[in-house]
Amino acid sequence: MGSLIAAVLAPALAALLLLTPLRKRPVWAALVPGGLFLYFLAQLAVETTQSVIIPWVPSLGVNLSFQLDGLALLFSLIISGIGTLVLLYSAGYFEDASEYARFSRYTLIFMTAMLGVVTSANLLLLFIFWEITSLTSYLLIGFNHDDEAARSGARRALIVTGGGGLALMAGFLLLGLIGGSFELAELLNQREAIQAHALYIPALLLIFVGAFTKSAQYPFHFWLPGAMAAPTPASTYLHSATMVKAGVFLLARLGGLLNDTPTWDGITLIVGLITFLYGGVIALRQTDLKAILAYSTVSWLGALVAVQSSNSEYAAVAFGVGVLAHALYKAALFLTAGSVDHGVGTRDIRQLGGLARVMPFTFAGALIAVVSMAGIPPLLGFLSKELLKAASVYDGQPDAFLIIFPIAAVLGSALTVTVALRFLWDTFVRSAPAEAHHHPHEVSPLMWIGALVLGTLTLGLPLALPLTLDPLLGRVVAVMRGAPAEIHLHLFEGITTPLIMSAISITLGFGLFLLRGRVIRLLTRLPSFDTVGVYQWLFYRALPDGAAWLTMRLQNGRLHFYLLVVLGSAISLTAALLLLGQVNLTNTETLGGLDPLAGVICVLLMAGAITGVIVPTRLGAIAILGIEGALLSLLFALFGAPDLAFTQLMIEVVTLVLFVLAFHFLPNAFNMQIPRRTRFFDITFAAASGVVVTLLILAAAANPIAESISGYYVENAYEVGHGHNVVNVILVDFRALDTQGEILVLIIAAIGVTALLRLRPSGQPRGLHLPPDPETSITLPVEADVNLEVEQP
């Protein structure tokens, strides 16, 4: 079972160990994902689920848990297979070998992160890999860091997906709190209890935010088109096959635990259908090839979310086929867009045309991918669209959506047909515009072979369904539905409702394509309802302005104000927890052993503290502080700690002497006049702080969460630490690292004090003397009496 962990970590290890010596032959970098693809392909013959659990932090329920079930296997095949083709493509795309090596490192590390996401069986482990995908995608999107668009797109993607990751972490923590574990297998056994819990809705909403931001669902979709500033291989890998599907994968992974509730069904269907239709409409308005593909990706991701609103077998099969089909044809089209940009010098569809003759291999790959994307039989894209419509009309849908979902499925599929045909016709078939002055040429075989391979798969897989997809999809459905399933797909099952709906979609899509000029002009006049403006306002205006306003209010340079803010926050939060939690403040043992003498000393300490505040002279305040220290030493001695009492007394004496010496140079009395209102407020605040701290101590004493460790120290001080002084043994042995840290802090403070003491004024000039700035230099008037003495050489 260790082979599974090795497979997950292999790409990252290859990135660190293998790529540097292979710069002269960069194509070899594709051997690692190629080998992984063969490994995962061989797992199709293994019917049992591979799993491995390595305890990591057992006390917190964190384990290195991996599993390779049907769902993980489907995504692992996509991740490794398309990753292989992307690295081959990149070898021809990047002319500089060092750039290819850097890109390959980022891609291989990202590949490990994605494999970790799909194979993790522990929520916290899944979250760690989830965040690594966000970080590595930031590096890939901003690969061309000299380009402002690349930096902006990478920053936007990191903010949106990183923010969603924080929400996802909170949702996972709530799930772990509800179910008592972070292991997916154990949580699935608590399905009914989790869905009946009061925290189910908050956990579900937080997980939705994490999944929707990663999979670019409306209104979080705006980061994906901006990420098209990445190199085309990165866009192919991240934004068609892997990263953007992490969100829909997460929903499929957790569906068996969280679905079949009104909240799950309603949100997934509404958000998914809005994204499905919105992405298709906006894709028609674009003129950049990669932007067209990006918005069409947003559209289909919405369909993959919407189909999970149902827990039917149709929906599970539609999800599995939809993920695979989209990965194949969309990756091919992204590779095609990159080849066009590389061979022509532009991606603007308005300046393209007639490329089928000069780029025949690129055109062949694009043709198969476009036919599949449009849902034309017998390609895999047709099967995915057919299953989507079957899921929309057959069992499992809520009554309110029995009409909405089928209509949206037809309209969204029609828009996909129009977008696909426009991509193919305007780029390869129609005559080039007269104003275009390009000299296109076919790209290297490394760049067109990937699209042809993907096209061959999307054409060949549906022709051998019993041997290819049926066994894999059966395992996918079993995972999503939690029950064994046997799947037998057919390209043609007669004249059925889904087939009629597909025919309507294709016909409507062809009609919109023929009228695309008018349709596009109409769409450009309509509002886009894009949320990128909200993002720009929030992160570039509201957030900086709000931070500046808050800083001006809080950082006013007054120590008194800072203390009020800190103590006020502590008082408010602690009091709220004590009140809302209804914490018991006393029990039978809390006040049972109160010593009368200790009580008298505590009263004297409180009286001394009050007197030290109101005493009018500095010398009196110092004396009272010394008395306070002596009383505290007496309290330590009373509770059986004479060494601690002696140490405290010595420190108090030394401190008292230093204070007297230092304050000898200051006025004797406090001259600051404090208004009565401020003084009354401070007294009230101080009293509230004391009360809250006292209540907190009582609550901690009355509600112990574990046994005291003092007994362990007493019992093992001599046996383990070989010392009779328990305090010394604790400091030197049991808490040696803590003591060492304190010593280091003192050393650093001493070095800082020494450096400050050495900063004495000197008559000699220091630093580099530069000639005066003419804009800031002062010109003396002519009348000024200035004696200039010039030293003769």
Side-chain angles (χ1 to χ4, degrees), residues 15 29 37 42 64 68 214-215 314 334 351 415 550 638 653 678 697 758-759 789:
F37 177 75
L64 297 178
L68 188 65
K214 187 74 80 172
S215 286
Y314 284 106
F334 266 110
Q351 302 180 23
L415 292 171
L550 189 62
L638 184 64
V653 172
T678 303
I697 294 173
R758 292 178 60 87
L759 290 177
E789 295 182 1

Side-chain angles (χ1 to χ4, degrees), residues 13-331:
L13 295 176
L16 298 176
L17 302 177
L18 298 180
L19 282 181
T20 299
L22 297 180
R23 285 187 178 184
K24 295 182 179 179
R25 296 185 179 182
V27 178
W28 290 8
L31 291 177
V32 175
L36 288 178
F37 177 75
L38 295 178
Y39 166 77
F40 290 121
L41 198 62
Q43 301 308 309
L44 289 173
V46 181
E47 296 182 358
T48 58
T49 298
Q50 290 192 44
S51 61
V52 57
I53 300 178
I54 300 177
W56 188 10
V57 189
S59 60
L60 298 179
V62 183
N63 300 316
L64 297 178
S65 303
F66 297 90
Q67 65 178 10
L68 188 65
D69 54 14
L71 187 63
L73 183 58
L74 170 64
F75 279 85
S76 297
L77 287 169
I78 293 173
I79 293 166
S80 58
I82 295 183
T84 303
L85 298 177
V86 165
L87 288 178
L88 287 174
Y89 179 92
S90 303
Y93 183 86
F94 292 102
E95 298 179 358
D96 188 351
S98 62
E99 285 191 351
Y100 175 81
R102 179 162 62 96
F103 176 83
S104 298
R105 288 191 187 96
Y106 296 163
T107 302
L108 289 172
I109 296 173
F110 174 82
M111 189 180 300
T112 284
M114 279 301 307
L115 289 174
V117 167
V118 301
T119 58
S120 293
N122 182 282
L123 291 182
L124 297 183
L125 181 64
L126 190 155
F127 172 75
I128 292 173
F129 284 116
W130 183 280
E131 289 300 283
I132 296 176
T133 63
S134 297
L135 295 176
T136 49
S137 67
Y138 170 80
L139 296 175
L140 287 168
I141 296 171
F143 185 82
N144 299 318
H145 48 76
D146 293 333
D147 185 7
E148 170 59 27
R151 297 196 301 271
S152 177
R155 184 169 55 249
R156 183 184 305 176
L158 182 62
I159 290 174
V160 176
T161 59
L166 295 177
L168 182 66
M169 178 181 67
F172 282 174
L173 292 177
L174 289 180
L175 277 185
L177 178 64
I178 299 171
S181 173
F182 293 105
E183 295 293 323
L184 284 171
E186 296 181 14
L187 290 174
L188 286 172
N189 295 329
Q190 303 291 328
R191 170 187 167 92
E192 296 181 358
I194 290 175
Q195 294 190 2
H197 200 278
L199 294 177
Y200 164 75
I201 298 297
L204 180 61
L205 295 179
L206 290 169
I207 291 173
F208 275 151
V209 172
F212 290 166
T213 52
K214 187 74 80 172
S215 286
Q217 297 299 290
Y218 189 89
F220 306 110
H221 68 284
F222 59 87
W223 69 266
L224 183 56
M228 292 302 106
T232 296
S235 300
T236 303
Y237 196 46
L238 272 65
H239 307 135
S240 67
T242 55
M243 177 182 170
V244 293
K245 289 190 173 66
V248 296
F249 164 82
L250 181 66
L251 296 180
R253 173 64 79 193
L254 299 180
L257 177 65
L258 303 174
N259 64 7
D260 262 353
T261 64
T263 306
W264 171 283
D265 296 343
I267 292 179
T268 52
L269 190 62
I270 293 174
V271 173
L273 292 183
I274 291 175
T275 306
F276 186 30
L277 297 175
Y278 175 85
V281 170
I282 300 301
L284 285 176
R285 300 175 52 168
Q286 307 305 310
T287 57
D288 184 277
L289 291 182
K290 288 178 67 175
I292 293 172
L293 297 178
Y295 277 107
S296 64
T297 297
V298 170
S299 176
W300 188 246
L301 290 173
L304 294 178
V305 171
V307 78
Q308 296 191 63
S309 62
S310 170
N311 193 29
S312 67
E313 187 173 287
Y314 284 106
V317 175
F319 174 81
V321 177
V323 167
L324 179 59
H326 179 265
L328 295 178
Y329 69 70
K330 190 55 66 70

